[in-house]
Amino acid sequence: MNRPGRRGAAVLVVRLALTAVRRSPLPAVAGALVVALGVVVLLAGLSMHPTAQARGAADKAAMAGEFAADGEPGLLIAHSSGSYRDRPITASLVADTAGGGLVPPGLDRVPAPGEVVLSPAMRELWSDPGTTLAQRYPGRDVGTVTRAGLVGPGALVVWIGVDRDRMPETRVVTGFGGAGVADIADMPSELRLAVPLLVIGFLLPLVALFLTVATMGTAARERRLAALRLLGFSARHARLVAALESALVVVPGVVLGCLVFRLAAPVLAPHLPVRGGVWPDHVFFSLPVAAGLLVVLPLLGTAATWWALRRIDVSPLGVVRGAGDRELRRRRLLPLGAGCLALAGSAAAGHGADDVTLAGALLLAAVVLLLVGIVLAAPLLCRVAAQGLGRVLPGIPAQLAAARVRRDATGAARLVTGSALLVFVSGLLLSFFPLLETGNAAGLRALRDTAGGNLLVADVQLLDTAALAELRADPGVSGVARLTQVQISDGAGQGGPLITATDCAELSGVLPALGGCSAGSLLLAPADSDAKAVPLRTDGPLQAVTMVESADGGSLDTVGLGPLTTSEAPRTSEVLGSLDELTGGTIGLVDVSALPAAARPTAAGGTLLVRPAAGSAELERVRTLLTRATSAASVLTVDEQVAEAERTTQTYRDITLAALGCAALVGVLTLTSTLLQQVREHRRALVALWMAGMPRATVRAATLLQSSLVILPVVALSLVLGLATATTYLALADGGATRLPWAAIGVVAAGAAALPLLATALTLPALRTTTHPQLLPD
Amino acid sequence: MTGPLLVADDLHLAFGPTRALAGASVEVAPGEVLALLGPSGSGKSTLLHCLAGILTPDRGEVRYRGTRLDDRSDEARSRLRRNDFGFVFQFGSLVPELTALANVALPLQLTGARRRAAEEQARSWLERLGVADVAGKRPGEMSGGQGQRVAVARALIGGPRVVFADEPTGALDSLNGELVMEEFTAAARDQGSSVVLVTHETRVAAYADRSVVLRDGRLTAAPAWA
Ligand SMILES: Nc1ncnc2c1ncn2[C@@H]1O[C@H](COP(=O)(O)OP(=O)(O)O)[C@@H](O)[C@H]1O
Ligand SMILES: [Mg+2]
């Protein structure tokens, strides 16, 4: 017979590949497990966006969305936000206008006044008297909010039935599906560039992982392939066997990973640390995606194997490394050089902000070129470092390490590629943090600085005077103040700017840092400090603009203010400015005693500030009192408001850190398996050294040195390039006003350098078992 | 067919600055056992690899049954190795992951035989070479002599026209080496295979019909005792 039958050959090839995997199952099993972990991480990453969207849709669905004019049949609804021990609560007052038949999602009927409907998680807390939530949201428990009204299984939701005339909101709701809560989809524009980087930062280590696993077992495989070639396997056949072997590792890994994700995700989803947990079916595991992975990943692995073996000619005599290394290596520096040029070009174009578009495009090009450049230049860098070390350090371990790196610089550099890219990308990603901080919620943060984070702030819906008196008298409360807004006029015209009216004595109790506010005083914000400050002539008599109700509607009237002592706040005082954050911007403060009776605050509207007694552990009880006094208005501390305003930032930060964490985990696994692989491959050499009398400690030292030799220069290069790119980006984004987060970047770099060494240390015990003379003969 | 089976004509091959072959010419007749003698580093292995189509010479040609071999495609040369050639090397000619039986059966399976039939034939070859007891063992679990006998069985099982043997007894003690050589040459002669035998030991060369000596990459006159 002259040609092997096609089928016969195929069967033989599969059998050989299977035998190889069966013969050394440990690397195969480890490889499959590593692939499985990578697939779990990948699936988690892939399901993040659809999950966020599903949650956003669920959020929207439960919010009032369609409105009609006063008097139409429908519901009156007032949503508000509360909190219990850092868990956000959504409380909604509801009143049925005329039995329109509309029912909020997740409820089977509209609660009547005096009734509440609770979500399961809410009921658990609500029925525990220690939480005071039953007092905060009082009523008879008449039903459970079902899934249609909840963003997640642990969401804290309460619907409270109230009388129509106790309802602060007058718009009639005729349908649901309102504006959802901000999610990742509503990303601030500063983050647009971050998304591709985040994806790269997330995917790179995974790709590195698959390639490593796919090309594992090279030395043993090369020996096997050479033996087969001698028997008449063509080079193509030999590569086919190798590719099949890698598929035999990757395919079970992918299946296992999909299975683990499919089984674990629904169990873990409700316990995820996001608002209300996640419904299991919001975590998307789509079969097409899994099937896609099952096709793409093995193909990727197979292609990588094919490619790896293409560069080395599998000859019947063994493996011959491709010649012409030297020319190749020079060219390897090109992308890196081009990247540096693009970076410099971007910095130059952005300087003086001549051409921001060009600078941005150049920056993006630089990022891509540098990523590729680092990978390509790494072997060269490793070799140069090895040559330098061999010259500088005299000991045998250094000589040995240098010799090994020099012999196979490309293989050595593979060890560090993942970490290097990680350092580069995280340097960039972390530089977005300070940028966000300068933009987002600056006013609220100023308020936190001046007023303290535990100050409770409530938007008054309808003031319950009895409950307010109880609140003031409570020993857990050290101060209560109310802020309302009054339109003020200097007589020049009917219109005029808004001013905050408050009882200065009370406010000073809540905000001791505020000076210049006393009985009968008018405290103006510095005139030129802010565009909002409207000049007001204070030399003449001032008037308050009031609303006069009459049978045919309302009209405006002005009433003179009482005697005033006017002063201007010192420009250095930030307290007044931070109050704007709560009132929405006014020109200053006026003591309520100066206001005419017609302009005094009524029961509705305004803001209540409550300072819990210092060190009060009873925040939740005080919050309950305040919620009742304000008819279930939103009651949040300043800290909670900051967190709310920074939610997108926080989400970005969490995702970034999670992605970096996953990448690091996957990276360590990859490194450890690569290193173990290398130890196995060098087994013969190691045994020979040991038999020649070299102590194991020296072998170990050489191995550690070899790793650091490779890691330190490459990580340093990526760090420098990452920082240069981040600096250029920050200069483009806000003229260099923002400083780099050196500490965080330093930690990442140190981690990236330490992880490979840790992985090396983990493999050292393996040296003990591999340097055994019986393993010497093949 | 008359005339030589395999011809090397003025082969030159350099590995960088090292000239491994510098005008080597040799002919192998059908059924002939030819010994390639020479000191270490003289180019014996290189010449053998060129004759088998594993290495391609820089200059000169290799002809097998009258047609050139050195310029054929990898596919075509692989086919030759499958169908017409057999190999015994000092180390590593066996697939480390497979048992002795599977290793010996492999050439038959590669040319399309069914596994059961191939293994049956392999078993009889192992018996013939006296190593039936290692059929289930892998190369790492055999002694050197057993391993080389298995390698000989695998080289001969397909009935090759030429067997290339590079220091087949190099790793064996002299008694074992002579036993293996005896069984090897006897079996090869039995089925009419030519043998190209590379060795640096004259004792091993004594099993050959004819000896040539290689020195510095070219053939010198045959030694007096040949
Ligand atoms: N792959 C190779 N790369 C570089 N030099 C080689 C290679 N193979 C053989 N040589 C050199 O070619 C010469 C001949 O080698 P070889 O044919 O193996 O000699 P022999 O088998 O007679 O001992 C030697 O000097 C050897 O060092
Ligand atoms: Mg030799």
Side-chain angles (χ1 to χ4, degrees):
Chain A
M1 220 171 302
N2 209 17
R3 265 183 77 82
R6 252 172 206 288
R7 256 196 48 210
V11 169
L12 189 64
V13 160
V14 172
R15 197 159 65 84
L16 284 173
L18 270 173
T19 311
V21 170
R22 244 203 342 258
R23 278 301 293 161
S24 48
L26 211 67
V29 169
L33 286 180
V34 171
V35 170
L37 180 90
V39 166
V40 170
V41 171
L42 193 63
L43 286 175
L46 286 176
S47 63
M48 208 136 75
H49 186 66
T51 299
Q53 280 190 324
R55 285 169 60 79
D59 245 340
K60 261 183 146 135
M63 292 280 173
E66 289 163 38
F67 300 95
D70 209 350
E72 299 267 324
L75 299 175
L76 294 176
I77 295 177
H79 296 297
S80 70
S81 317
S83 173
Y84 180 78
R85 293 183 186 250
D86 291 334
R87 294 176 68 183
I89 296 174
T90 306
S92 308
L93 299 181
V94 60
D96 205 341
T97 60
L102 184 64
V103 177
L107 274 60
D108 51 12
R109 68 178 176 85
V110 178
E115 295 179 342
V116 293
V117 179
L118 304 162
S119 68
M122 185 67 180
R123 175 169 297 114
E124 219 168 278
L125 289 177
W126 190 85
S127 49
D128 176 356
T131 63
T132 71
L133 286 178
Q135 295 161 43
R136 194 184 300 182
Y137 307 111
R140 197 156 47 82
D141 176 5
V142 295
T144 302
V145 186
T146 56
R147 146 122 219 204
L150 301 175
V151 67
L156 300 181
V157 172
V158 52
W159 287 85
I160 306 158
V162 293
D163 274 330
R164 274 198 72 167
D165 52 344
R166 293 278 307 158
M167 177 58 84
E169 182 69 58
T170 54
R171 280 190 308 173
V172 175
V173 176
T174 56
F176 288 85
V181 185
D183 70 357
I184 331 170
D186 315 317
M187 189 161 266
S189 59
E190 297 98 318
L191 292 183
R192 294 276 152 74
L193 182 61
V195 176
L197 286 176
L198 204 58
V199 172
I200 291 172
F202 183 70
L203 285 183
L204 267 183
L206 283 181
V207 170
L209 169 86
F210 287 123
L211 296 191
T212 310
V213 171
T215 52
M216 257 211 244
T218 322
R221 176 154 62 196
E222 286 171 356
R223 238 173 294 138
R224 180 166 58 248
L225 292 181
L228 289 174
R229 288 277 280 138
L230 202 55
L231 286 177
F233 260 59
S234 65
R236 218 166 49 87
H237 263 120
R239 281 206 294 270
L240 197 64
V241 176
L244 255 170
E245 279 175 23
S246 84
L248 280 177
V249 169
V250 176
V251 169
V254 175
V255 171
L256 181 67
C258 289
L259 215 63
V260 167
F261 185 80
R262 180 81 188 80
L263 295 177
V267 179
L268 296 180
H271 308 290
L272 285 178
V274 295
R275 187 171 51 99
V278 175
W279 290 112
D281 60 354
H282 278 176
V283 181
F284 285 89
F285 173 81
S286 71
L287 275 179
V289 167
L293 286 182
L294 204 52
V295 172
V296 169
L297 292 183
L299 270 184
L300 195 69
T302 309
T305 313
W306 192 273
W307 186 76
L309 287 174
R310 192 166 205 102
R311 302 228 1 235
I312 50 179
D313 179 23
V314 187
S315 111
L317 298 178
V319 169
V320 186
R321 310 267 158 197
D325 255 10
R326 213 157 277 272
E327 293 81 42
L328 239 178
R329 297 227 156 131
R330 284 278 146 72
R331 255 180 284 149
R332 277 170 175 260
L333 285 177
L334 283 180
L336 195 67
C340 290
L341 279 181
L343 195 60
S346 170
H351 193 70
D354 323 335
D355 197 341
V356 178
T357 326
L358 176 67
L362 278 173
L363 187 67
L364 212 61
V367 168
V368 173
L369 282 169
L370 288 176
L371 278 171
V372 176
I374 289 172
V375 175
L376 288 183
L380 191 61
L381 200 64
C382 290
R383 211 172 56 162
V384 171
Q387 270 157 359
L389 183 95
R391 234 170 272 143
V392 174
L393 280 184
I396 293 178
Q399 298 298 324
L400 197 60
R404 282 213 213 130
V405 172
R406 269 209 309 271
R407 197 180 53 99
D408 184 12
T410 319
R414 217 180 318 154
L415 188 69
V416 76
T417 311
S419 319
L421 296 180
L422 199 59
V423 168
F424 181 78
V425 172
S426 32
L428 267 182
L429 288 175
L430 293 175
S431 66
F432 288 104
F433 290 172
L435 200 61
L436 290 169
E437 266 160 21
T438 57
N440 223 338
L444 277 172
R445 258 182 281 110
L447 178 64
R448 181 173 59 188
D449 292 344
T450 55
N454 72 339
L455 182 69
L456 279 164
V457 181
D459 300 322
V460 176
Q461 307 210 7
L462 208 58
L463 214 53
D464 179 330
T465 41
L468 186 61
E470 196 187 325
L471 178 71
R472 285 185 202 277
D474 194 273
V477 172
S478 72
V480 177
R482 185 170 177 207
L483 307 173
T484 52
Q485 287 188 342
V486 180
Q487 196 179 13
I488 201 164
S489 158
D490 54 13
Q494 282 260 304
L498 289 174
I499 193 161
T500 303
T502 188
D503 181 327
C504 275
E506 282 183 349
L507 187 61
S508 303
V510 175
L511 294 175
L514 180 71
C517 181
S518 53
S521 73
L522 173 69
L523 181 64
L524 288 176
D528 59 346
S529 71
D530 195 75
K532 279 179 287 185
V534 177
L536 191 71
R537 274 182 31 231
T538 52
D539 41 359
L542 293 175
Q543 292 149 342
V545 182
T546 59
M547 184 77 143
V548 181
E549 303 271 355
S550 61
D552 54 343
S555 64
L556 292 181
D557 193 10
T558 56
V559 189
L561 262 54
L564 286 170
T565 36
T566 305
S567 62
E568 193 168 298
R571 200 160 303 169
T572 49
S573 162
E574 287 190 343
V575 186
L576 200 58
S578 64
L579 277 184
D580 276 358
E581 204 54 46
L582 300 175
T583 57
T586 63
I587 61 161
L589 273 179
V590 64
D591 185 60
V592 76
S593 67
L595 293 180
R600 296 267 167 98
T602 57
T607 306
L608 262 185
L609 304 182
V610 175
R611 169 150 330 269
S616 167
E618 297 179 297
L619 180 67
E620 295 304 337
R621 201 177 54 79
V622 173
R623 197 201 304 264
T624 295
L625 291 173
L626 181 53
T627 309
R628 283 181 53 198
T630 56
S631 308
S634 289
V635 179
L636 296 172
T637 64
V638 174
D639 273 338
E640 287 161 356
Q641 291 194 351
V642 171
E644 182 73 13
E646 286 182 340
R647 188 151 71 195
T648 314
T649 315
Q650 195 57 47
T651 308
Y652 165 74
R653 200 179 294 233
D654 291 349
I655 292 174
T656 306
L657 293 179
L660 292 181
C662 285
L665 181 68
V666 169
V668 171
L669 278 171
T670 313
L671 277 176
T672 311
S673 52
T674 314
L675 281 168
L676 274 174
Q677 197 61 47
Q678 289 188 352
V679 167
R680 290 171 63 94
E681 287 181 9
H682 294 153
R683 177 148 78 192
R684 282 159 143 270
L686 292 173
V687 181
L689 286 172
W690 180 76
M691 287 181 43
M694 180 179 282
R696 282 206 175 98
T698 312
V699 175
R700 265 183 226 136
T703 307
L704 270 179
L705 247 176
Q706 184 183 348
S707 288
S708 16
L709 194 58
V710 168
I711 290 152
L712 296 179
V714 179
V715 166
L717 174 75
S718 343
L719 184 63
V720 168
L721 291 176
L723 290 183
T725 313
T727 312
T728 312
Y729 173 71
L730 287 181
L732 263 185
D734 71 344
T738 311
R739 301 267 310 276
L740 279 174
W742 288 105
I745 292 174
V747 167
V748 168
L755 289 181
L757 291 179
L758 178 75
T760 310
L762 283 178
T763 58
L764 288 183
L767 284 180
R768 183 169 199 83
T769 52
T770 41
T771 49
H772 191 282
Q774 273 185 350
L775 293 166
L776 187 53
D778 218 5
Chain B
M1 185 172 121
T2 54
L5 183 65
L6 191 56
V7 178
D9 190 2
D10 192 29
L11 300 186
H12 292 256
L13 179 55
F15 297 105
T18 312
R19 286 156 54 95
L21 294 180
S25 301
V26 72
E27 294 186 358
V28 184
E32 176 187 34
V33 179
L34 172 73
L36 280 179
L37 272 163
S40 187
S42 56
K44 306 181 296 291
S45 298
T46 308
L47 178 56
L48 178 130
H49 294 147
C50 285
L51 284 170
I54 292 172
L55 288 178
T56 307
D58 296 337
R59 192 142 64 77
E61 36 177 274
V62 178
R63 285 187 300 275
Y64 174 66
R65 302 175 78 192
T67 56
R68 267 186 83 165
L69 183 147
D70 51 282
D71 57 358
R72 295 194 204 174
S73 69
D74 174 70
E75 187 65 49
R77 283 180 286 144
S78 297
R79 197 156 52 230
L80 261 189
R81 285 201 302 280
R82 226 156 40 218
N83 296 318
D84 288 25
F85 295 168
F87 294 89
V88 186
F89 286 169
Q90 183 175 353
F91 292 119
S93 38
L94 297 177
V95 182
E97 285 82 3
L98 297 180
T99 61
L101 189 69
N103 258 296
V104 177
L106 207 51
L108 294 183
Q109 286 183 276
L110 274 177
T111 49
R114 299 199 147 253
R115 183 173 171 184
R116 193 175 296 267
E119 288 188 347
E120 218 161 277
Q121 222 174 317
R123 202 175 296 279
S124 75
W125 268 98
L126 287 176
E127 263 160 33
R128 176 166 178 185
L129 287 160
V131 282
D133 49 331
V134 299
K137 292 191 172 175
R138 285 167 228 281
E141 305 157 352
M142 298 177 230
S143 76
Q146 289 168 333
Q148 287 310 80
R149 284 182 175 88
V150 173
V152 167
R154 200 189 64 177
L156 292 172
I157 193 171
R161 286 176 200 271
V162 190
V163 180
F164 296 92
D166 194 345
E167 312 269 13
T169 60
L172 306 180
D173 58 82
S174 55
L175 177 64
N176 235 321
E178 297 204 12
L179 282 174
V180 168
M181 276 314 297
E182 212 164 290
E183 287 152 7
F184 172 32
T185 45
R189 284 180 214 281
D190 256 15
Q191 53 177 14
S193 303
S194 300
V195 176
V196 179
L197 173 64
V198 162
T199 180
H200 63 276
E201 288 179 86
T202 45
R203 273 227 304 237
V204 173
Y207 290 91
D209 301 327
R210 186 164 69 93
S211 294
V212 291
V213 177
L214 213 60
R215 211 175 285 276
D216 298 331
R218 74 181 69 189
L219 283 104
T220 62
W225 42 261

